[in-house]
Amino acid sequence: MSIETNMTKLEERNHSTGFRSGLIVPFIGTSGVCMSAFDVNENGVPQYPKGHAGRLLVTLAAIDRLERPTASSVAVLTGLSKGKIDVYVQALNTEFGTMITKEGPEYRVESWGEILKRNGVKKALTVPLNGTRIHPLEE
């Protein structure tokens, strides 16, 4: 299947689901160059598939960026399920060594830990993990 055919199919799917144009990006797989598609929500945030580490990174980036990061506001910005935000925060704390606390409904990043770099994680809101820029969020 050609890249043009993939783009047409992706654009048709995005039109029917309400997502903005998706992005098909090349990456090096075990069998050579492959194509990967990420939809982006109305905020330009990549929509990673279930189980993808990108979901954790956009959660952390959103908590860092939002003035009042609640499960609802993080979900609205990222397009993730509000009910999964606590699960993602727990995974970040356990697997990546961050220290994200919750006071009332609001999250706060107390420590980034030793593994993740703040500037790199912040890019997760607009740049898929393969490094192709999608669309800048308005500051």
Side-chain angles (χ1 to χ4, degrees), residues 105-138:
E106 293 185 28
Y107 298 98
R108 183 171 57 210
V109 179
E110 300 285 343
S111 170
W112 286 82
E114 300 282 325
I115 298 172
L116 300 174
K117 293 182 181 180
R118 184 178 187 189
N119 287 336
V121 171
K122 288 169 65 172
K123 292 177 184 176
L125 289 175
T126 57
V127 180
L129 292 180
N130 60 13
T132 305
R133 188 156 187 80
I134 294 177
H135 183 283
L137 290 172
E138 294 180 21

Side-chain angles (χ1 to χ4, degrees), residues 7-23 37-49 55 75-81 134:
M7 288 293 290
T8 301
K9 287 185 176 195
L10 183 61
E11 287 169 2
E12 289 170 0
R13 185 184 75 203
N14 288 339
H15 180 71
S16 68
T17 62
F19 281 107
R20 284 197 342 221
S21 293
L23 176 69
F38 293 104
D39 290 328
V40 294
N41 69 8
E42 63 276 358
N43 297 313
V45 177
Q47 302 299 284
Y48 295 106
R55 287 183 173 215
V76 167
L77 176 61
T78 63
L80 298 171
S81 168
I134 294 177

Side-chain angles (χ1 to χ4, degrees), residues 48-107:
Y48 295 106
K50 183 178 179 180
H52 195 287
R55 287 183 173 215
L56 300 177
L57 299 180
V58 297
T59 299
L60 178 55
I63 290 169
D64 183 61
R65 179 182 181 152
L66 291 167
E67 186 174 321
R68 188 168 185 268
T70 63
S72 294
S73 64
V74 170
V76 167
L77 176 61
T78 63
L80 298 171
S81 168
K82 176 182 159 184
K84 294 293 257 178
I85 302 302
D86 279 335
V87 173
Y88 296 147
V89 166
Q90 183 178 359
L92 285 159
N93 288 341
T94 303
E95 297 174 26
F96 290 98
T98 60
M99 186 179 358
I100 303 168
T101 59
K102 189 173 181 183
E103 294 179 16
E106 293 185 28
Y107 298 98

